[in-house]
C-alpha cells in the first residue's frame, strides 16, 4: 500500500503463505521453503471510500467485487472472498432513497453478499457468523432456499438439530425437488434420536448416583444410633451384674 508507481520491493513469504510442506516440483521449490519475490508496481487504481461514491458507483463497484469474491471462493480462498462480500454490505446496507430499478439491484446484491458470506463462514467453520448472515438474508427474502438451507447447516454444526430440522423441512415444503434438504431432515432426525438416548443415559446415571448418595447418608445416620443403643444395653447389663453381685455379698 505504501509503494509508488514504478517502485520495486522485495517481498519475503513464509512457507505457509507460499507452497507450504508440499513445495512445488515445477518451479523446483523444496518443502517448507521461504520465498522471496521481487515485485514492481507498474500501475494501480486508487479505490474511492464509501462516502466518496454516489449510488451508481456503489452499485457498479459492488458488482465488480462480487465477481472478485466469487473467483476467490472458487479458488478456496474463503477469507479473501468474505472480505469482498463484506464491502457490498458496507456500501449498500444503509443506502436509502433509491429509484425502483436501483433499489432492486441493491437488494439483489446485498442478498447475494449475505448468502455468499454465510457459505464462506460455513467453509471456515464459523457457524455463528453464518447464522447471522442467513438471518439477514431471510429478512430480505423469508423464502430464500439458500438462506434456509445454509442456516440449517450452521445450526447442525452447533448441534441445534431440532432447529436445523425445521429449516430443512421448510426447504422441502417450499422446494420439494431439493433432495439435499430431504437427506438432511433424515440426518437431523437420527441425531435428535441419538441425543435423546444419550440424555436418557445421562439422567439415569445421575439419578442412580443421587440414590446411592442418599442411601449412603441414611446408612451413616443409622450406624451411630445403633452403636449408641448397644453401649446403653451394655451399661444396663453391667449395672444388673453389679446389682446381683451386691445382693450375693
Amino acid at each position: 500500500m505504501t509503494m509508488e508507481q514504478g517502485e520495486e520491493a522485495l517481498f519475503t513469504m513464509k512457507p505457509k503463505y507460499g507452497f507450504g510442506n508440499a513445495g512445488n516440483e515445477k518451479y523446483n521449490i523444496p518443502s517448507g521453503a521461504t520465498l522471496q519475490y521481487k515485485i514492481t508496481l507498474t500501475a494501480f487504481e486508487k479505490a474511492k471510500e464509501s462516502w466518496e461514491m454516489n449510488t451508481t458507483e456503489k452499485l457498479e463497484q459492488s458488482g465488480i467485487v462480487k465477481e472478485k469474491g466469487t473467483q476467490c471462493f472458487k479458488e478456496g480462498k474463503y477469507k479473501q472472498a468474505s472480505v469482498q462480500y463484506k464491502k457490498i454490505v458496507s456500501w449498500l446496507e444503509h443506502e436509502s432513497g433509491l429509484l425502483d430499478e436501483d433499489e432492486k439491484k441493491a437488494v439483489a446484491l446485498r442478498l447475494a453478499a449475505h448468502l455468499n458470506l454465510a457459505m464462506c463462514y460455513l467453509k471456515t467453520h464459523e457457524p455463528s457468523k453464518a447464522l447471522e448472515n442467513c438471518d439477514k438474508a431471510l429478512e430480505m427474502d423469508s423464502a430464500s432456499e439458500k438462506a434456509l438451507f445454509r442456516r440449517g447447516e450452521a445450526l447442525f454444526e452447533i448441534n441445534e438439530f431440532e432447529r436445523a430440522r425445521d429449516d430443512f423441512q421448510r426447504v422441502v415444503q417450499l422446494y420439494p425437488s431439493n433432495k439435499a434438504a430431504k437427506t438432511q431432515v433424515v440426518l437431523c432426525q437420527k441425531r435428535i434420536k441419538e441425543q435423546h438416548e444419550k440424555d436418557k443415559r445421562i439422567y439415569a446415571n445421575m439419578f442412580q448416583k443421587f440414590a446411592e448418595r442418599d442411601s449412603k447418608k441414611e446408612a451413616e445416620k443409622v450406624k451411630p444410633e445403633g452403636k449408641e443403643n448397644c453401649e446403653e444395653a451394655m451399661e444396663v447389663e453391667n449395672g444388673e451384674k453389679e446389682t446381683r453381685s451386691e445382693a450375693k455379698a
Side-chain angles (χ1 to χ4, degrees):
M1 292 177 67
T2 61
M3 291 177 69
E4 298 290 340
Q5 189 169 355
E7 185 178 356
E8 292 184 350
L10 189 65
F11 284 77
T12 301
M13 296 175 64
K14 293 181 179 181
K16 68 177 180 179
Y17 298 114
F19 295 101
N21 293 327
N24 188 297
E25 186 177 349
K26 180 180 178 181
Y27 297 111
N28 198 28
I29 296 173
S31 171
T34 297
L35 308 177
Q36 284 191 328
Y37 288 91
K38 185 179 180 181
I39 296 177
T40 303
L41 182 59
T42 57
F44 68 92
E45 179 183 351
K46 187 177 180 181
K48 289 184 177 181
E49 296 291 340
S50 177
W51 54 271
E52 295 177 308
M53 293 189 288
N54 58 35
T55 300
T56 302
E57 289 173 324
K58 286 180 180 179
L59 290 171
E60 182 182 346
Q61 288 299 312
S62 293
I64 292 172
V65 299
K66 179 176 178 287
E67 292 302 318
K68 287 182 180 178
T70 300
Q71 186 59 41
C72 288
F73 187 89
K74 288 178 179 178
E75 294 173 0
K77 301 174 182 176
Y78 306 121
K79 289 190 180 295
Q80 291 93 322
S82 66
V83 170
Q84 300 301 324
Y85 298 134
K86 283 178 184 177
K87 290 179 182 178
I88 300 173
V89 175
S90 66
W91 289 339
L92 301 177
E93 190 170 25
H94 301 296
E95 197 70 13
S96 59
L98 302 179
L99 298 175
D100 289 344
E101 194 63 31
D102 287 344
E103 177 67 23
K104 289 179 183 178
K105 288 180 182 178
V107 169
L109 284 165
R110 282 175 53 215
L111 179 59
H114 284 303
L115 290 172
N116 291 339
L117 277 168
M119 196 64 196
C120 286
Y121 289 131
L122 285 171
K123 291 290 186 181
T124 56
H125 302 289
E126 298 176 89
S128 60
K129 291 182 179 179
L131 276 172
E132 181 182 344
N133 280 279
C134 287
D135 286 339
K136 288 182 178 179
L138 288 166
E139 286 176 8
M140 290 183 279
D141 181 4
S142 60
S144 171
E145 183 177 9
K146 290 180 179 179
L148 286 167
F149 189 91
R150 290 172 190 176
R151 189 171 70 174
E153 289 183 298
L155 289 166
F156 190 92
E157 191 168 341
I158 59 174
N159 298 332
E160 291 281 353
F161 302 123
E162 292 187 5
R163 291 176 61 195
R165 177 197 59 191
D166 293 343
D167 275 343
F168 291 128
Q169 285 179 335
R170 179 68 173 156
V171 174
V172 173
Q173 290 171 359
L174 295 173
Y175 310 96
S177 61
N178 193 318
K179 294 180 181 179
K182 293 176 182 178
T183 301
Q184 290 300 111
V185 169
V186 174
L187 187 57
C188 285
Q189 295 284 27
K190 181 181 177 182
R191 290 288 186 273
I192 290 168
K193 184 178 179 181
E194 289 174 354
Q195 189 65 52
H196 286 169
E197 292 298 324
K198 183 179 178 181
D199 290 343
K200 282 181 182 178
R201 290 194 297 271
I202 290 172
Y203 291 133
N205 291 336
M206 189 184 299
F207 292 140
Q208 184 177 354
K209 287 180 181 179
F210 287 155
E212 289 174 354
R213 184 189 65 184
D214 293 341
S215 177
K216 187 176 180 181
K217 285 183 178 179
E218 290 297 322
E220 288 175 352
K221 288 180 181 178
V222 171
K223 187 175 181 180
E225 290 178 1
K227 184 179 180 181
E228 186 178 342
N229 291 337
C230 289
E231 289 175 350
E232 289 177 357
M234 289 176 68
E235 288 178 2
V236 170
E237 185 179 350
N238 290 335
E240 289 176 351
K241 286 181 179 180
E242 290 174 359
T243 303
R244 285 196 296 270
S245 297
E246 290 174 357
K248 287 179 181 180

